[in-house]
Amino acid sequence: SKTPAPGKKEDAAKKPRKTERRDSRYSRFPPSRNKKKKMVKAYLRYEPAAVFGVVASVESNVCYDNTGKLLFTGALEQLCVWNLKQGLCIKALASSTSSSGPKSAASAIACSPSSDSTVACGYADGSIKIWDFVRGTCETTLNGHKGAVTALRYSKNGSLLASGSKDNDIILWDVVGEAGLFRLRGHKDQVTDLIFLESGKKLISCSKDKFVRVWDIDTQHCMQIIGGHHSEVWSLDVNPGEKYMVTGSADQELRFYKIQSEPQDGRFHLATEDGTNNNLESGTNKWQILKQFGEIKRQSKDRVVTVRFNKVGNLLACQVAGKTVELFCVLDDDEAKRKAKKRVQRKKEKLLNKKTKELGESGDVTLLSKDEVANPVPVVSDVFRFLQTLQTKKKICSLSFCPAAPKNPFLETVALSLNNNMIEVYSIQTDSSTKVHTVYLPGHRSDIRSVALSSDSTMLMSTSHDSVKIWNPSSGSCLRTIESGYGLCSLFVPGNRFALIGTKSGTLEVIDIGSSSRTELIEAHTDAIRSLVSLPNKSGFITSSADHDVKFWDYQIMERDGHASKQLTVHNTRTLKMDDDALVVRVSHDAKYIAVSLLDSTIKVFFMDTLKFFLSLYGHSLPVLCMDISYDGDLLVSGSGDKNLKIWGLDFGDCHKSIFAHADSITGVQFVRNTHYIFSVGKDRLVKYWDADKFELLLTLEGHHAAVWCLSVSEHGDFLVTGSSDRSIRRWDRTEEPFFVEEEREKRLEEMFESGLDDPVEGLYAPKEELPDEGAVSLAGKQTQETVNSTDKLIDALDMAEMETQRILQHKEDMKAGKASILQPNVMMRGLSPSEYVLHTLSSVHSSDLVQTLLLLPFTDALRLMSYLKDWIEYPDKVELICRITTVLLQIHHNQLVATPTARPVLTLLQGILYKRVKECKDTLGFNLAAMDHLKQLMASKSDAPFRDAKAKLMEIRAKYSIVTGKKSDAKERKAKKQKKSN
């Protein structure tokens, strides 16, 4: 054997033998058994608990209920039900907080005319929820739109719901069946408004593509396209008698159209003012539902947002994108005819005077036909007369007429939502409007700039540009509202009787919480006060300002004239001059250090007792907007406009870690007491939870719809509160549910994958489909993660049922051979037969998702599913479901079914059974309806129901009589004025 070279002998000795490796691999006690396993740390989860502070969102409309006592408003993701007389939110309807991901904001609301407890709400993610606001439950969720829902309208009987969206599509929904009927495509831009025409089962829609379309619901096609608008059409409405339609756009005119009715003879007629119908002239298009009536010039130059008729139809409101609502009076047929006669008479007199001057006394003066003079046709100015302009102090977002009959002498009651988070209700008279209700206390008028919790976490203070509000963080109720300056920072004084507010103007305000008043206004700084922090010994506080000063203050209790109790005052003890604007100041809990962040992107650390310079922390590329010091004084965390979160050690001033934390500027950070856990908020709308020791992201809390300005963590860390530009205050509670960082990381990756399912990348650059002018029809639903999961469950159920069928057949063969024992039921199938198990799985699919679930089913699985239909049709309560499944599968796989010989026996069998079972079901329903109608008549004859109907009719007659008498009195006044003039 060769001797190893010098220097390699030791290396050869170090190498283990193969036998040694094998022994260690297959030994009874491997080496890893003796090592200590690394424990995975568990954290407690924080979840959204409450949202308050929003009265009405800018994106959503407002809507009265059928009684006129309640008002629905969209408050971000919540649907709030307000009692306007009490000014209280009696219900806040929102989806369960357990569902992951951010909640979409409400964008459209419509109240069902056939139910006193049902309201539909469309959201920004394209979903529509049907709510029972009495019980506070969501009855169903309809998924079909790919963009935000912008318009919702019920049919008159409440059985159909039409929705328009930013995806340019209109979907008609069956509210009773909780499913989509069909999708109408034709508009080339966002659908802005919808209305049903009940006389001919038509639907009218308008869009930002400047066109109005009339759709036939029975034939599912576009009957008429109306152009002529020079800009986007934002709203339309039809009067209750379905005589006139009005459209509003950015043009200076409101356009009016006459509606043609379809009587029983099948010929279209034009509705006239006297209630009669004139046959269309020869050559007129019978598909022309709308005929232009005229235009009325608006007072405002802003674009139209909403046009609405009131319930009676005698008033028209035109809301513009500003601070005004223009009100028009709609005259009845007799008044319009009188006005037309006067207009024709004036015209005749003017022409007569003009011609006599030109031709002389002997000239021909026959200017107007006898029929034109005797029976003048009213024009749009004869029917619609400008009444008044309703003016508000802030921009109006939406309006809604109250369906209840108003009290004399008021014509109507209208509710307005303003863009400053407020609701105003006005009663309209003939010549003026009176504000009767205002809902503004439960929310701020602008962004919430600071929040602060009391020492016992029982009170919450929030500041805005003009007020300070004290809240109960548990219930979300507003306890106090105090007028103040533009508060940028706030602080509770020890004892929680007083509070301090630092304002944008540099003043320091002392607030007495008990009396809800501002007791003192101190000129503390010459520029904005950016930060307030309490001293550890609770004897005073420190302020930092844009005037380069950091000031130390002490509390003093003094007796003042005019105040029964002692009042708080403060006085300045020390001042620390800085070289630049002092943005944030913080003090370590052992009162050893004071840290000040400056506009030059650095953090200066001083000794608290001598105010001598200690450390300069630099590394941020933009100014530090927020920072905090841990309770043990070891760490300092800073958040900046450069989107980074830096963790510093206060012993040597070294940066432990720099984390790219948010997608926008970080506006607030705070340590949880006695821990190194950090909460951070930013302008990217997110709240994030960090471990400062491991430098790991623990949780991401989504919920806010705009930039988050501030946060405050409770004393024990059991909850935190955040304030945002969306004017909402959110409370996040710590739960007892533990979680692990790795699991959260995997969950975030899964959510990213699922979010890509709805918006596939390959569809971004695909050419857009060209739609024909007459429009197109397609399926109503859309593919979602729920439909994919439902399809997977259905395929698994079919596979399991097939295996169980084979097991049952094998058992029968074994029994014939005398080998088999007792057949044990399949626990996975819940003891059901294969056919019943597949039916149970299919019945669990939501009605609105059934079409999309079957659409994803492969043809082979569809054949297997159809083989069970002949067994299921025997269940009386499943006839409707089986018919729907059969129809959908035949529509999807028609060509393949025709070409597949094995499918013919199944189709032949179903052809004979389905019609028979459907007829039996229809006869049963008809018999039950007739019996219920008979019972209703018996109950009506034995109760006071006719008297209740008579009372309602009497109230309606009184309302009409008051309108008529009012018009007669106006006519008498005009006659009296004429007589005075003639005398």
Side-chain angles (χ1 to χ4, degrees):
S1 62
K2 295 181 180 179
T3 57
K8 292 189 178 181
K9 189 173 183 180
E10 293 82 7
D11 296 339
K14 289 179 182 177
K15 290 182 180 178
R17 297 178 182 178
K18 290 183 180 179
T19 55
E20 291 176 356
R21 283 206 306 271
R22 187 170 63 247
D23 292 342
S24 64
R25 187 181 301 172
Y26 299 107
S27 63
R28 193 173 178 184
F29 300 102
S32 60
R33 178 72 63 87
N34 300 324
K35 293 181 181 177
K36 289 184 179 179
K37 288 186 178 180
K38 187 178 179 181
M39 294 294 292
V40 180
K41 188 172 183 180
Y43 303 87
L44 292 179
R45 186 181 299 278
Y46 282 82
E47 287 186 350
V51 184
F52 49 93
V54 183
V55 178
S57 299
V58 178
E59 298 84 7
S60 176
N61 64 311
V62 295
C63 179
Y64 271 101
D65 73 328
N66 295 331
T67 62
K69 297 178 181 179
L70 305 176
L71 185 74
F72 302 103
T73 65
L76 301 179
E77 72 270 19
Q78 292 182 334
L79 177 63
C80 291
V81 187
W82 294 91
N83 186 324
L84 294 176
K85 288 187 177 180
Q86 298 175 356
L88 296 175
C89 178
I90 59 175
K91 281 276 173 58
L93 308 174
S95 56
S96 60
T97 56
S98 60
S99 57
S100 60
K103 308 296 187 301
S104 296
S107 55
I109 305 170
C111 187
S112 173
S114 61
S115 173
D116 292 335
S117 63
T118 304
V119 62
C121 183
Y123 294 87
D125 61 353
S127 64
I128 301 169
K129 294 182 186 295
I130 310 296
W131 294 94
D132 186 329
F133 63 87
V134 175
R135 292 188 296 173
T137 57
C138 178
E139 298 296 313
T140 184
T141 302
L142 307 172
N143 290 308
H145 289 292
K146 296 179 182 177
V149 179
T150 53
L152 277 178
R153 284 289 181 109
Y154 272 98
S155 60
K156 192 171 287 185
N157 58 6
S159 62
L160 295 178
L161 176 67
S163 61
S165 168
K166 286 185 178 179
D167 61 6
N168 311 344
D169 293 345
I170 301 166
I171 298 181
L172 219 66
W173 305 91
D174 180 4
V175 180
V176 179
E178 299 180 358
L181 297 177
F182 49 84
R183 183 191 302 263
L184 299 173
R185 306 180 65 195
H187 285 294
K188 294 178 174 60
D189 209 334
Q190 169 186 327
V191 180
T192 53
D193 209 349
L194 300 160
I195 186 72
F196 279 95
L197 284 183
E198 300 301 326
S199 58
K201 295 182 180 179
K202 308 295 186 297
L203 179 71
I204 306 177
S205 63
C206 62
S207 168
K208 289 174 71 175
D209 61 4
K210 307 178 186 177
F211 290 105
V212 177
R213 287 177 177 262
V214 183
W215 307 85
D216 190 301
I217 296 174
D218 294 333
T219 59
Q220 302 175 14
H221 81 283
C222 181
M223 299 177 61
Q224 186 181 359
I225 302 175
I226 299 172
H229 294 89
H230 303 296
S231 58
E232 298 93 344
V233 186
W234 288 98
S235 183
L236 59 84
D237 200 19
V238 173
N239 72 323
E242 294 188 3
K243 291 181 182 179
Y244 308 107
M245 187 191 79
V246 58
T247 61
S249 64
D251 303 343
Q252 283 298 302
E253 303 86 13
L254 287 177
R255 296 176 187 266
F256 293 86
Y257 299 86
K258 277 190 176 181
I259 300 172
Q260 297 170 184
S261 59
E262 184 182 5
Q264 295 178 354
D265 59 1
R267 299 181 62 190
F268 282 93
H269 294 72
L270 191 67
T272 57
E273 285 71 19
D274 56 358
T276 61
N277 291 317
N278 296 330
N279 293 337
L280 290 177
E281 298 175 359
S282 60
T284 306
N285 185 6
K286 70 173 185 177
W287 302 109
Q288 188 177 356
I289 305 297
L290 301 177
K291 184 178 179 181
Q292 189 161 1
F293 184 41
E295 299 175 353
I296 291 182
K297 194 173 181 63
R298 297 188 290 111
Q299 306 288 324
S300 174
K301 294 182 179 179
D302 298 321
R303 71 167 178 88
V304 174
V305 176
T306 311
V307 286
R308 288 291 180 268
F309 286 95
N310 65 340
K311 188 178 181 181
V312 181
N314 64 342
L315 211 61
L316 171 66
C318 172
Q319 175 219 334
V320 300
K323 304 177 182 179
T324 58
V325 176
E326 297 176 17
L327 298 170
F328 296 87
C329 181
V330 184
L331 305 179
D332 60 2
D333 300 339
D334 297 335
E335 190 72 22
K337 279 188 175 183
R338 284 197 295 268
K339 199 171 180 182
K341 283 183 179 179
K342 291 179 182 178
R343 175 178 51 79
V344 171
Q345 190 66 31
R346 286 196 302 269
K347 182 179 178 182
K348 182 180 176 181
E349 291 175 0
K350 284 183 181 179
L351 290 174
L352 185 65
N353 294 334
K354 186 177 180 181
K355 287 293 182 180
T356 50
K357 287 181 181 178
E358 292 178 357
L359 302 177
E361 294 295 334
S362 61
D364 185 11
V365 293
T366 305
L367 305 171
L368 297 173
S369 64
K370 292 182 179 180
D371 186 47
E372 189 177 356
V373 176
N375 299 309
V377 179
V379 296
V380 65
S381 58
D382 297 331
V383 181
F384 298 92
R385 177 171 57 87
F386 178 75
L387 190 66
Q388 60 173 292
T389 300
L390 195 154
Q391 187 88 21
T392 60
K393 294 182 179 179
K394 293 293 181 179
K395 283 189 176 182
I396 305 169
C397 298
S398 176
L399 67 83
S400 178
F401 277 113
C402 180
K407 296 179 180 178
N408 286 330
F410 299 111
L411 294 176
E412 195 56 76
T413 303
V414 62
L416 307 176
S417 68
L418 308 183
N419 70 341
N420 65 340
N421 197 27
M422 197 162 74
I423 300 171
E424 292 183 350
V425 182
Y426 289 85
S427 288
I428 300 167
Q429 293 177 294
T430 307
D431 53 353
S432 63
S433 300
T434 307
K435 189 192 297 185
V436 290
H437 299 297
T438 305
V439 181
Y440 66 96
L441 288 177
H444 283 285
R445 309 279 75 78
S446 64
D447 300 6
I448 297 169
R449 295 306 301 266
S450 74
V451 289
L453 284 165
S454 60
S455 58
D456 54 0
S457 300
T458 57
M459 286 190 294
L460 169 69
M461 176 169 55
S462 61
T463 65
S464 184
H465 81 289
D466 63 346
S467 64
V468 177
K469 288 185 180 289
I470 308 297
W471 308 81
N472 182 342
S474 301
S475 63
S477 58
C478 183
L479 307 176
R480 300 279 191 275
T481 299
I482 307 155
E483 290 186 2
S484 72
Y486 198 139
L488 297 179
C489 49
S490 56
L491 176 70
F492 273 100
V493 175
N496 302 327
R497 285 185 54 222
F498 299 95
L500 299 169
I501 309 297
T503 65
K504 196 173 183 179
S505 60
T507 59
L508 197 62
E509 299 184 2
V510 182
I511 304 294
D512 187 345
I513 298 172
S515 63
S516 302
S517 61
R518 183 176 62 189
T519 59
E520 191 173 4
L521 185 66
I522 303 164
E523 296 292 337
H525 292 270
T526 58
D527 209 334
I529 300 176
R530 299 287 184 184
S531 179
L532 275 172
V533 62
S534 179
L535 291 175
N537 60 5
K538 309 297 183 184
S539 63
F541 62 97
I542 306 173
T543 59
S544 65
S545 169
D547 63 359
H548 304 190
D549 286 348
V550 175
K551 293 188 177 182
F552 294 74
W553 305 81
D554 278 351
Y555 299 125
Q556 283 186 348
I557 301 294
M558 297 177 62
E559 291 186 1
R560 292 189 178 179
D561 297 337
H563 293 278
S565 60
K566 294 182 178 180
Q567 298 297 318
L568 176 76
T569 185
V570 297
H571 71 279
N572 185 17
T573 56
R574 290 190 295 175
T575 301
L576 177 62
K577 295 285 185 180
M578 307 303 297
D579 297 330
D580 211 334
D581 292 12
L583 302 181
V584 188
V585 60
R586 288 292 180 267
V587 180
S588 61
H589 291 274
D590 57 1
K592 188 176 181 181
Y593 303 115
I594 175 173
V596 184
S597 72
L598 303 178
L599 195 63
D600 61 2
S601 308
T602 62
I603 302 171
K604 306 290 185 185
V605 183
F606 300 87
F607 289 104
M608 182 73 176
D609 49 358
T610 61
L611 297 184
K612 287 186 177 180
F613 176 75
F614 174 54
L615 290 172
S616 179
L617 310 179
Y618 54 90
H620 285 290
S621 57
L622 288 175
V624 176
L625 304 177
C626 53
M627 64 178 177
D628 196 21
I629 299 175
S630 62
Y631 192 77
D632 55 9
D634 293 342
L635 299 178
L636 182 144
V637 61
S638 60
S640 166
D642 60 8
K643 310 170 190 176
N644 288 324
L645 202 66
K646 290 184 183 292
I647 300 169
W648 312 82
L650 273 181
D651 45 2
F652 300 107
D654 56 326
C655 180
H656 291 182
K657 189 71 173 178
S658 180
I659 307 170
F660 185 77
H662 288 263
D664 209 334
S665 300
I666 302 172
T667 54
V669 291
Q670 189 172 346
F671 277 99
V672 180
R673 188 180 176 89
N674 295 325
T675 68
H676 283 178
Y677 302 148
I678 306 168
F679 280 102
S680 66
V681 297
K683 291 184 179 180
D684 59 355
R685 311 177 182 184
L686 299 179
V687 182
K688 294 193 176 184
Y689 186 34
W690 306 85
D691 188 338
D693 292 330
K694 295 185 176 181
F695 316 121
E696 283 185 322
L697 173 63
L698 304 179
L699 279 178
T700 299
L701 305 175
E702 297 175 299
H704 282 289
H705 296 260
V708 187
W709 281 111
C710 49
L711 84 159
S712 181
V713 183
S714 66
E715 189 74 12
H716 303 291
D718 53 344
F719 71 92
L720 74 147
V721 177
T722 55
S724 168
S725 291
D726 60 13
R727 297 158 192 176
S728 71
I729 300 174
R730 293 176 186 265
R731 192 182 86 242
W732 316 81
D733 285 357
R734 185 175 63 198
T735 63
E736 297 300 322
E737 178 191 354
F739 71 93
F740 301 98
V741 178
E742 286 297 326
E743 290 180 0
E744 286 300 311
R745 192 177 293 121
E746 290 175 6
K747 191 184 292 185
R748 285 195 292 270
L749 291 173
E750 286 178 6
E751 289 176 358
M752 288 173 61
F753 171 74
E754 290 176 3
S755 63
L757 181 69
D758 297 333
D759 303 312
V761 179
E762 58 267 17
L764 295 176
Y765 304 102
K768 291 186 177 180
E769 181 185 357
E770 288 293 332
L771 297 173
D773 290 338
E774 62 272 14
V777 182
S778 60
L779 294 174
K782 72 170 182 178
Q783 179 182 338
T784 60
Q785 188 62 34
E786 287 79 9
T787 59
V788 175
N789 293 339
S790 299
T791 306
D792 292 339
K793 290 178 183 177
L794 183 56
I795 293 173
D796 292 341
L798 289 169
D799 293 339
M800 192 177 294
E802 187 174 357
M803 293 170 61
E804 182 68 12
T805 305
Q806 292 175 0
R807 192 171 76 93
I808 293 171
L809 291 175
Q810 184 65 37
H811 179 263
K812 288 181 180 179
E813 291 178 2
D814 292 344
M815 284 186 67
K816 289 180 182 177
K819 302 177 184 177
S821 58
I822 299 174
L823 180 66
Q824 296 295 331
N826 193 340
V827 181
M828 297 294 293
M829 295 177 61
R830 305 181 182 184
L832 300 173
S833 66
S835 176
E836 290 175 347
Y837 179 67
V838 177
L839 180 59
H840 177 269
T841 306
L842 200 56
S843 301
S844 64
V845 179
H846 197 276
S847 178
S848 60
D849 295 335
L850 183 61
V851 176
Q852 290 295 322
T853 301
L854 296 175
L855 197 62
L856 295 172
L857 201 65
F859 178 66
T860 54
D861 295 318
L863 278 178
R864 290 195 292 168
L865 183 62
M866 292 184 73
S867 65
Y868 292 106
L869 294 178
K870 63 180 183 298
D871 301 328
W872 298 343
I873 199 67
E874 300 300 326
Y875 298 104
D877 59 331
K878 300 293 182 183
V879 173
E880 183 184 356
L881 176 64
I882 306 310
C883 290
R884 196 170 168 210
I885 293 170
T886 308
T887 308
V888 172
L889 290 177
L890 286 173
Q891 288 175 344
I892 296 170
H893 304 289
H894 178 267
N895 294 332
Q896 290 174 289
L897 286 170
V898 171
T900 305
T902 55
R904 291 175 187 173
V906 178
L907 295 175
T908 306
L909 188 63
L910 288 174
Q911 183 183 7
I913 298 175
L914 277 178
Y915 179 76
K916 181 182 176 183
R917 295 297 299 165
V918 170
K919 191 174 184 306
E920 289 177 2
C921 184
K922 187 177 178 182
D923 292 342
T924 305
L925 289 172
F927 181 82
N928 292 338
L929 284 172
M932 290 172 67
D933 192 26
H934 179 65
L935 290 173
K936 182 180 176 183
Q937 292 177 4
L938 289 175
M939 292 176 66
S941 63
K942 297 178 181 179
S943 67
D944 60 341
F947 298 100
R948 290 202 299 270
D949 295 341
K951 183 180 178 183
K953 191 69 177 175
L954 182 63
M955 295 299 291
E956 184 180 349
I957 292 170
R958 283 180 178 175
K960 289 182 179 179
Y961 179 73
S962 63
I963 295 170
V964 172
T965 52
K967 289 177 180 177
K968 285 183 178 178
S969 62
D970 292 343
K972 286 180 181 179
E973 288 178 2
R974 286 195 295 270
K975 284 183 181 179
K977 287 180 181 179
K978 284 184 179 180
Q979 287 179 358
K980 285 182 180 179
K981 286 182 180 179
S982 62
N983 294 333

